[in-house]
Amino acid sequence: MIEVGDIRIGGAEPFALITGPCQLESLDHARMMAERIAEACAPTGTKFIFKASYDKANRSSLKGTRGLGMEAGLEILGRIRDEFGVPVLTDVHEPGHCAKAAEVCDVLQIPAFLCRQTDLLLAAGETGAAINIKKGQFLAPWDMANVADKVASTGNTRIMLCERGASFGYNTLVTDFRGLPTMAATGYPVVFDATHSVQQPGGKGTSSGGQREFAPVLARAACAVGVSALFIETHEDPDRAPSDGPNMIPVDQMAGLIADLRAFDALFKERIGLG
């Protein structure tokens, strides 16, 4: 189990929710999203970590918008953290970004494409922040033990391992739910990324496609198998979002989805004696 702000992640605790828009757009937009997410979480008492990226360095093409940049993005995330009293998370792509990002962010996220980059993992671990490591689409679940060991070698064991699907032919991902208990055997909390698991990488030529209608299905399955946290990106108008719109959940659907997922989560944890 790890703690992020006032959120306990792991064990018998209800799942923590990592959620927000894929990419930061503006302070006003981030505020609006944080407010609507808080409203969606309130009926079930679900605690959330606000997630948004200041830079999307792995876009499908040069035509894709990357974001606001580190300085402006971290300022916005810091404002959200202070104004809403919630932990915040962002991606880091280079070792030199980690220390500065950790001054603001409670959780640093290692993108899936970079999950074996030793220097990045070490720099992230050395900050002492919680680290959410996305499992590469090219890795087996048991390979993540070696990835976690790199971060843990810094003395930082505040590690989460995140499933987000595996490559299955071209522009397609598939989720093997055996990977969740396999990664949990490392002793670290496991996160399931429901929205990126339905992504179709590069599926639209110069951007990624996705099948958002299946994200709730996979999220329910993950809760039935057992997870410590869920990662679900959301937006008020996904079809007009600057990145990953096809796989994001409309924010006005989040309250109902969260309620459903809490029921699946509670059933699993009660049945195995954790609830």
Side-chain angles (χ1 to χ4, degrees):
M1 181 179 296
I2 68 170
E3 295 186 3
V4 178
D6 66 345
I7 304 175
R8 292 164 59 87
I9 302 174
E13 298 295 323
F15 68 78
L17 182 62
I18 301 171
T19 187
C22 177
Q23 187 179 128
L24 283 167
E25 299 178 34
S26 68
L27 176 57
D28 286 345
H29 183 262
R31 279 175 170 152
M32 180 273 293
M33 289 301 304
E35 182 174 356
R36 294 190 66 177
I37 290 166
E39 291 171 353
C41 289
T44 55
T46 299
K47 295 186 176 182
F48 73 95
I49 298 169
F50 183 83
K51 179 272 165 187
S53 299
Y54 59 76
D55 181 19
K56 300 300 293 183
N58 55 358
R59 298 305 306 274
S60 297
S61 77
L62 282 172
K63 296 179 181 179
T65 57
R66 287 184 54 168
L68 302 178
M70 176 181 280
E71 184 174 349
L74 290 179
E75 182 178 354
I76 291 171
L77 288 169
R79 294 283 290 273
I80 297 300
R81 186 179 191 269
D82 293 342
E83 292 177 17
F84 290 87
V86 297
V88 295
L89 173 154
T90 196
D91 297 292
V92 289
H93 299 89
E94 301 177 23
H97 292 180
C98 294
K100 187 170 183 179
E103 292 175 2
V104 174
C105 297
D106 303 271
V107 185
L108 302 185
Q109 181 164 278
I110 307 298
F113 287 130
L114 301 178
C115 71
R116 287 180 56 173
Q117 296 297 105
T118 300
D119 290 342
L120 178 60
L121 293 165
L122 295 178
E126 287 166 356
T127 68
I131 311 298
N132 185 38
I133 311 171
K134 294 286 191 79
K135 180 179 74 63
Q137 301 92 324
F138 45 87
L139 289 186
W142 46 87
D143 293 331
M144 290 299 285
N146 290 331
V147 174
D149 284 346
K150 293 181 181 182
V151 176
S153 73
T154 68
N156 183 353
T157 57
R158 302 178 65 216
I159 298 167
M160 295 179 282
L161 303 179
C162 184
E163 172 62 63
R164 52 85 28 99
S167 294
F168 185 70
Y170 298 118
N171 306 124
T172 306
L173 299 172
V174 65
T175 300
D176 179 357
F177 285 99
R178 295 175 298 179
L180 301 179
T182 299
M183 290 196 295
T186 64
Y188 298 113
V190 170
V191 183
F192 180 69
D193 180 347
T195 41
H196 285 96
S197 290
V198 299
Q199 187 185 59
Q200 295 170 317
K204 299 177 75 174
T206 58
S207 64
S208 292
Q211 295 175 298
R212 75 170 68 99
E213 67 271 22
F214 292 118
V217 177
L218 296 188
R220 290 195 296 269
C223 287
V225 173
V227 288
S228 297
L230 288 169
F231 181 109
I232 302 176
E233 288 185 337
T234 185
H235 195 275
E236 84 283 3
D237 187 1
D239 291 332
R240 300 185 65 181
S243 62
D244 277 352
N247 44 268
M248 282 198 283
I249 301 295
V251 72
D252 61 7
Q253 298 177 15
M254 286 292 285
L257 176 59
I258 292 167
D260 286 347
L261 297 176
R262 283 291 294 262
F264 276 83
D265 181 65
L267 177 62
F268 169 78
K269 288 170 181 172
E270 289 170 5
R271 288 292 296 272
I272 65 170
L274 290 177

